Amino acid sequence: MGLFGKLFGDEGGAKKENASSINWVQLTEISQLSEIEKESESQYIAILKHSTRCGISRMVLKMFESDYDLPESANVKMYFLDLIANREVSNAVADQFGVRHESPQLIVIHNREVVHHASHQSISAGKLKELV
């Protein structure tokens, strides 16, 4: 990896960036949204929309992951959406759940409804912990 890659992350950083203690489920297909709605009837669903080309998004992701301390037994399933690679899925999330697209963005769904959403520095693992 070159100097700029070391400083700013490489282009293929999506897989490395979300290597954390969070058990992320990759959101890559529009068809997953109906599954997400169904799952939200029995647990909280959190979708983190992340831009691999944005320094602010990278910073928010790192802060969220370092602050995330929910136990594996928590009633939440974490989805990670690389919106650069899956823009059509990101647009479908905005349409289906009625939340205007922003990046980075955290959307929390329970009982088929959005119960919380935040963007940029308002994204908080602590707030997610309060909800679940």
Side-chain angles (χ1 to χ4, degrees):
M1 178 184 300
L3 175 62
F4 287 109
K6 287 179 183 174
L7 292 174
F8 301 109
D10 60 23
E11 283 296 310
K15 297 219 183 307
K16 291 178 185 173
E17 284 184 77
N18 62 15
S20 73
S21 63
I22 300 174
N23 188 21
W24 292 112
V25 176
Q26 298 298 312
L27 179 52
T28 59
E29 302 289 330
I30 293 173
S31 62
Q32 289 175 273
L33 298 182
S34 58
E35 178 184 325
I36 284 171
E37 277 194 326
K38 179 102 174 104
E39 290 174 329
S40 78
E41 294 174 0
S42 61
Q43 64 185 329
Y44 285 85
I45 303 295
I47 300 171
L48 183 70
K49 294 168 109 181
H50 172 67
S51 171
T52 56
R53 294 183 187 155
C54 174
I56 292 171
S57 192
R58 188 176 307 117
M59 177 190 68
V60 168
L61 174 62
K62 286 181 182 182
M63 286 176 38
F64 182 85
E65 288 181 326
S66 69
D67 292 344
Y68 185 91
D69 65 351
L70 276 78
E72 285 189 35
S73 62
N75 193 28
V76 62
K77 187 169 183 179
M78 303 294 297
Y79 282 87
F80 183 89
L81 174 56
D82 174 348
L83 65 93
I84 300 299
N86 301 289
R87 184 59 185 206
E88 70 287 349
V89 178
S90 178
N91 291 337
V93 167
D95 291 342
Q96 187 154 339
F97 296 108
V99 177
R100 183 177 65 113
H101 164 75
E102 296 191 59
S103 170
Q105 185 174 41
L106 179 70
I107 301 170
V108 183
I109 303 157
H110 192 250
N111 290 325
R112 296 182 176 259
E113 294 187 13
V114 173
V115 295
H116 175 74
H117 65 91
S119 66
H120 296 83
Q121 284 82 3
S122 296
I123 293 172
S124 164
K127 179 63 178 177
L128 179 61
K129 189 173 185 176
E130 287 175 20
L131 288 169
V132 302

